[in-house]
Amino acid sequence: MSFIEKFSLEGKIALVTGASYGIGFAIASAYAEAGATIVFNDINQELVDKGLAAYDELGIKAHGYVCDVTDEAQVQELIKKVEAEVGVIDILVNNAGIIKRIPMIEMSVEDFRKVIDVDLNAPFIMSKAVIPGMIKKGHGKIINICSMMSELGRETVSAYAAAKGGLKMLTRNICSEYGEANIQCNGIGPGYIATPQTAPLREKQADGSRHPFDQFIISKTPAARWGTPEDLQGPAVFLASDASDFVNGHVLYVDGGILAYIGKQP
Ligand code: NAP
Ligand code: GCO
């Protein structure tokens, strides 16, 4: 096999969670273009239908399922169905995620638990469900969508930062535990990406000026712009492909340089 062929996902089956739109959709679309069969899930039928229509528009025949990734029984059922209807999964992307921006001392424990449940417990539940099939197949790729908050804190995102920091360590542990079974588990740490999840941080002010957080992010990013979901496609294909077979337990930050930069002098 030539080295360039190692980037192909031809013949692979990829499951991307929460991929009806946003980052998950962009990653799954890139996988399809690289040759993979796409499976995705979302939390309700309306979102799955919206996703199916969007994939269809790109000429991609995706398989969409309703499944709440925090519910182990639903996840086990999903994996059984996918194995029967599509095949054994080669690539899992734990993308589904939520954020609640609330100052920590005002945050209810229920809200804190909810964020941990979707952003940290669910990747455990999903990975636990697919790893046995990967072991039987003799290979597997798990990609956890981490965050700047896997490394940094900021006001109002205590639960999200705790979950995404934990997800970085779950990534390293899956690598440690299943590397011998030829499973590579890596993370992608997107910087600030323009999606519905970050729309409140980019809302225009009443006078038409940019949101102060929007200005702050531009000044903190050497690339001087927000990222796009498409910026994550190349790194996601690399980590799903045979080209990254000796890359394991790593978090690849795709952040326009944020983590390298101290910021502009005021
Ligand atoms: P998004 O636009 O909110 O999309 C996330 C998807 O996950 C949505 O379809 C969402 O459904 C779904 N989801 C939520 N809870 C779920 C559950 N329990 N079961 C199944 N699906 C569920 O988010 P995004 O901005 O594309 O982000 C995708 C991932 O990247 C997340 O893990 C996020 O934390 C991470 N990330 C985002 C950024 C950024 O700047 N945007 C940066 C770093 C990391 P609903 O529409 O019903 O919520
Ligand atoms: C926030 C943002 C972030 C990003 C992202 C950064 O409120 O600070 O929503 O947490 O979504 O995860 O990598």
Side-chain angles (χ1 to χ4, degrees):
M1 189 192 282
S2 77
F3 104 85
I4 203 74
E5 283 168 343
K6 289 188 175 175
F7 287 88
S8 165
L9 302 182
E10 209 61 56
K12 302 277 168 71
I13 298 171
L15 167 59
V16 186
T17 67
S20 299
Y21 64 93
I23 289 173
F25 178 81
I27 290 176
S29 308
Y31 285 177
E33 206 179 319
T37 300
I38 301 309
V39 182
F40 73 99
N41 74 292
D42 222 308
I43 189 92
N44 58 46
Q45 191 62 52
E46 204 185 325
L47 275 174
V48 170
D49 290 343
K50 182 178 150 184
L52 285 171
Y55 287 110
D56 200 46
E57 229 171 84
L58 294 183
I60 298 167
K61 196 199 154 328
H63 303 260
Y65 296 86
V66 175
C67 173
D68 179 342
V69 290
T70 65
D71 183 324
E72 185 165 25
Q74 282 188 36
V75 168
Q76 293 287 349
E77 198 50 42
L78 168 74
I79 301 307
K80 252 201 239 154
K81 245 194 204 168
V82 172
E83 288 187 356
E85 294 172 8
V86 189
V88 177
I89 292 154
D90 301 282
I91 302 158
L92 166 69
V93 181
N94 284 310
N95 166 78
I98 59 168
I99 190 165
K100 290 182 189 286
R101 300 182 185 95
I102 306 168
M104 187 178 134
I105 59 173
E106 291 164 25
M107 190 172 205
S108 69
V109 71
E110 289 76 23
D111 276 344
F112 190 91
R113 285 196 176 116
K114 179 74 195 156
V115 174
I116 299 286
D117 215 21
V118 180
D119 293 357
L120 178 58
N121 296 343
F124 159 76
I125 292 170
M126 288 296 312
S127 304
K128 179 183 162 189
V130 303
I131 286 172
M134 291 176 167
I135 292 175
K136 276 195 209 132
K137 239 181 168 174
H139 68 90
K141 300 276 184 182
I142 299 176
I143 296 154
N144 291 325
I145 304 302
C146 297
S147 166
M148 292 291 89
M149 272 63 217
S150 299
E151 300 293 338
L152 302 169
R154 85 170 187 87
E155 306 76 9
T156 75
V157 296
S158 58
Y160 187 79
K164 294 293 187 178
L167 187 57
K168 174 179 71 178
M169 286 314 300
L170 180 66
T171 302
R172 290 181 179 165
N173 215 82
I174 294 173
C175 150
S176 307
E177 219 167 323
Y178 297 104
E180 219 176 342
N182 194 23
I183 293 172
Q184 289 85 47
C185 180
N186 292 290
I188 289 180
Y192 278 81
I193 311 293
T195 70
Q197 194 223 53
T198 53
L201 306 175
R202 284 176 285 106
E203 250 168 31
K204 282 262 181 324
Q205 301 299 89
D207 64 1
S209 65
R210 294 173 93 140
H211 192 294
F213 196 86
D214 183 358
Q215 295 177 23
F216 167 66
I217 287 305
I218 301 296
S219 74
K220 283 291 286 178
T221 308
R225 65 169 175 89
W226 284 68
T228 64
E230 291 70 31
D231 285 322
L232 302 165
Q233 291 179 317
V237 169
F238 168 63
L239 290 178
S241 73
D242 296 347
S244 61
D245 277 357
F246 204 54
V247 180
N248 209 353
H250 184 74
V251 180
L252 175 51
Y253 290 99
V254 184
D255 65 353
I258 295 177
L259 288 178
Y261 186 41
I262 195 169
K264 263 196 182 55
Q265 177 186 286

